[in-house]
Amino acid sequence: MLNTKLTKNLAKCIWCKNAVVLRFKPMAQWNLAGDGYLCGDCYQKKLAEYYLTPDRRNLTKQSNRNA
Ligand SMILES: [Zn+2]
């Protein structure tokens, strides 16, 4: 089947394991397996998680207080 062949050649998302057409390289800070790619959905989720982590919020608060 042509579809199976295509899917085989596609990279797999290292998060959801689905074949990805549009590959997104994860940021090093996300601590994901080094040489893989994410699908668009997982990339967006990870991106949102990364920018909404409590740690970063605290950092921002602190720097605001100092300023
Ligand atoms: Zn994914």
Side-chain angles (χ1 to χ4, degrees), residues 37-61:
Y37 291 97
L38 290 170
C39 67
D41 282 353
C42 292
Y43 184 82
Q44 272 184 5
K45 258 184 245 169
K46 284 275 150 196
L47 202 66
E49 263 173 40
Y50 179 70
Y51 284 114
L52 293 175
T53 38
D55 280 358
R56 284 183 66 92
R57 271 197 186 149
N58 287 341
L59 279 178
T60 315
K61 257 186 213 160

Side-chain angles (χ1 to χ4, degrees), residues 12-18 20 37-43 45:
K12 264 188 201 157
C13 172
I14 52 173
W15 198 251
C16 67
K17 311 287 186 206
N18 286 326
V20 278
Y37 291 97
L38 290 170
C39 67
D41 282 353
C42 292
Y43 184 82
K45 258 184 245 169

